[in-house]
Structures are given as C-alpha cells and as structure tokens.
C-alpha cells in the first residue's frame, strides 16, 4: 500500500513521501494563488477555485485565507461561499451541496 493510499484510508502515513509532498505542495500553491487575487476580480477568483477544487457548481465565492490539504477532493454545489479564513481538510472526499456558506 502506498503512503497516499494509507492517507486516503485514514491510516498512519509518511508525511515526507514524495507523492504526498507533491500533492500538498500543489494545494498550497493553488491556495496561495487564489488568496492573492483581488476580491474585485471575481472572474479570476472563480477560475482559481475551479482549478483548485475537484468540482464546482455555479456562482462559487471563496474569500481570502482559504487553505486545504488537496483541493481536488472538494466538490461544491451552486452558490457556495467560503468566508474568510476557511480551511477544508480534504484528505478524503468532501461534498458540499447547494446554497451553503462556510464561516470559521
């Protein structure tokens, strides 16, 4: 079993495994990109959310301070809002429906 498979199964895994480091690095960089985009540039922010998340409905809003483990394990429906300083630990699938607001 690979370290990534162990992570997905909820088992102990090696954080320094190359595959896990790569996945986390990509998520950190994509989150940093999203967090650096102006609040007023809604099109660029939505594009960044769509690049980071696995599946995104209509009208997503993710405000500054967003962090996640992987990103591609996150699925959100229509009219999703993640308020400031939200962290989603998506070591496994995270599915969020329509008309949902997350706030820290």
């Amino acid at each position: 079993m690979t370290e990534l498979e162990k992570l997905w199964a909820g088992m102990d895994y090696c954080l320094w495994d190359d595959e896990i480091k790569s996945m986390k690095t990509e998520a950190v960089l994509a989150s940093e990109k999203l967090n650096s985009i102006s609040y007023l540039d809604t099109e660029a922010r939505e594009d960044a959310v769509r690049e980071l998340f696995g599946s995104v409905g209509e009208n997503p809003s993710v405000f500054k301070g967003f962090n996640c483990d992987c990103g591609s394990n996150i699925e959100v429906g229509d009219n999703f809002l993640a308020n400031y300083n939200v962290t989603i630990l998506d070591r496994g699938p995270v599915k969020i429906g329509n008309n949902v607001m997350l706030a820290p």
Side-chain angles (χ1 to χ4, degrees):
M1 180 176 264
T2 68
E3 297 303 310
L4 191 56
E5 289 169 334
K6 291 177 187 176
L7 180 144
W8 298 141
M11 301 169 64
D12 289 340
Y13 63 92
C14 177
L15 181 63
W16 297 275
D17 175 76
D18 288 339
E19 194 173 20
I20 290 175
K21 283 193 315 188
S22 175
M23 177 196 69
K24 290 190 177 286
T25 298
E26 288 177 25
V28 167
L29 294 175
S31 295
E32 286 178 351
K33 175 183 173 182
L34 171 61
N35 290 326
S36 72
I37 299 170
S38 169
Y39 172 78
L40 300 176
D41 193 349
T42 55
E43 185 176 330
R45 293 187 65 73
E46 181 173 334
D47 289 345
V49 170
R50 291 186 183 284
E51 288 175 20
L52 177 58
F53 290 7
S55 177
V56 179
E58 296 297 316
N59 196 33
S61 295
V62 179
F63 293 172
K64 290 188 184 269
F66 180 81
N67 294 288
C68 62
D69 278 330
C70 180
S72 62
N73 287 328
I74 301 170
E75 296 181 18
V76 299
D78 297 339
N79 304 311
F80 171 74
L81 169 68
N83 209 344
Y84 297 97
N85 301 315
V86 167
T87 298
I88 298 176
L89 301 176
D90 60 320
R91 293 185 185 99
V94 175
K95 296 182 181 190
I96 301 169
N98 295 327
N99 305 308
V100 175
M101 183 180 98
L102 300 179

